[in-house]
Amino acid sequence: MDAFSTLIRTASHEQHTEAETSTFMSDLLGGRLGVDAYTRYTEQLWFVYRALEDAAGSLADDPVAGPFIQPELMRMAELERDLAHLRGPDWRAGLAPLPATAAYAARVAECARTWPAGYVAHHYTRYLGDLSGGQIIRDKAEKTWGFARKGNGVRFYVFEEIANPAAFKREYRELLDAVNADDLEKQRIIDECKRAFDFNGAVFRELGQEFRISA
C-alpha cells in the first residue's frame, strides 16, 4: 500500500493543478498583472496564515497536529514585513479579505478548534506549497517587480531557518506517513486536503474577477 503522503499528493492532484493553473495565477506569473495584484494576493494570504498560526500554540501538544507545529515554518512575521513594504506603515488600514478568503480562514480556524487532523490537511496544503511552488512565485515577483532577491516584498517565501528544503519536505512527509490516525480518519484528511485546494481555487477566481485583463 502506498504511503499516506503519497496518497494525499495523488488524491489532491486534480484540485492542486486547477488552483495552480487558474487565470489569475497564470496572469500573475506571466507578468501580465501589476504589483497591485501581487499585493492583493499577499493580503489574502495574511488572513489564512493568521488562522493557521493563531491556533499553533494551542495545538502544539496535540497528538495528531502537534508534530507538525514547527517554528521554522511560521510565516506571519515575514508576511507582515512584506505588507509593510507593499502597502506602507499603515498596511493594516483597509486590509480586507475576499469572501472566499474569509470562508477559507474560517474553515482553518474551525478545524483548529474542533478537528486537529483537519488542521493538518490545511497545514500540509499551505506550508509544503510555499516551500515548493511558492519559490516560483518569489522568483517571478523579483524579476517582474524588481524586489531585492529574498528581500522585502517576497520574504514570505524565504524560509531562512530551513537550510535544506528538500530534506525538510522529506521529513515532513515522514510525519504525514506516521500521523496518529486510522484509515477512516486518513481518508477524511485527504478529503479536507482536497477542500483546502478548492478554497485556494475560489480565492484565485475572485482575484481573477478583480484583476480581469481586457481581451
Side-chain angles (χ1 to χ4, degrees):
M1 186 176 173
D2 286 335
F4 182 49
S5 57
T6 304
L7 292 175
I8 277 193
R9 190 169 69 247
T10 305
S12 60
H13 178 75
E14 186 179 333
Q15 284 90 344
H16 190 178
T17 302
E18 193 175 310
E20 274 188 344
T21 57
S22 66
T23 301
F24 174 78
M25 192 51 71
S26 296
D27 286 341
L28 191 74
L29 296 179
R32 293 182 290 277
L33 296 174
V35 72
D36 56 332
Y38 175 78
T39 299
R40 189 79 168 112
Y41 173 55
T42 306
E43 292 171 13
Q44 303 313 300
L45 291 174
W46 183 84
F47 291 99
V48 177
Y49 282 83
R50 181 178 62 172
L52 278 166
E53 297 185 7
D54 277 359
S58 62
L59 289 171
D61 294 326
D62 183 83
V64 177
F68 296 90
I69 307 297
Q70 302 181 50
E72 58 266 45
L73 285 172
M74 298 300 172
R75 299 287 86 204
M76 280 298 280
E78 284 78 7
L79 253 179
E80 294 186 353
R81 285 175 74 178
D82 284 343
L83 286 168
H85 181 75
L86 293 163
R87 288 175 55 97
D90 296 328
W91 62 268
R92 288 178 189 270
L95 201 68
L98 292 162
T101 305
Y104 185 5
R107 178 58 183 169
V108 172
E110 180 187 8
C111 286
R113 201 168 51 248
T114 65
W115 182 35
Y119 175 88
V120 169
H122 289 280
H123 192 280
Y124 159 77
T125 305
R126 288 278 14 142
Y127 291 106
L128 243 62
D130 300 331
L131 276 165
S132 302
Q135 301 312 304
I136 298 168
I137 299 174
R138 175 183 64 78
D139 183 61
K140 291 285 186 179
E142 289 167 357
K143 290 174 179 172
T144 305
W145 301 297
F147 298 121
R149 186 170 184 275
K150 297 187 176 182
N152 290 336
V154 294
R155 289 188 181 278
F156 168 74
Y157 301 101
V158 181
F159 291 78
E160 290 185 339
E161 295 179 42
I162 298 177
N164 186 334
F168 186 93
K169 286 187 283 187
R170 190 163 58 246
E171 289 163 8
Y172 189 104
R173 291 189 183 102
E174 287 169 1
L175 285 178
L176 279 175
D177 293 339
V179 71
N180 187 8
D182 61 21
D183 287 346
L184 184 62
E185 186 74 336
K186 285 179 179 177
Q187 185 56 53
R188 291 182 69 212
I189 294 172
I190 288 172
D191 290 342
E192 189 66 24
C193 184
K194 291 180 181 179
R195 191 173 181 181
F197 281 116
D198 287 340
F199 276 121
N200 278 290
V203 172
F204 289 147
R205 279 193 297 278
E206 291 186 9
L207 285 166
Q209 289 163 6
E210 195 171 309
F211 294 95
R212 189 178 284 118
I213 294 176
S214 300

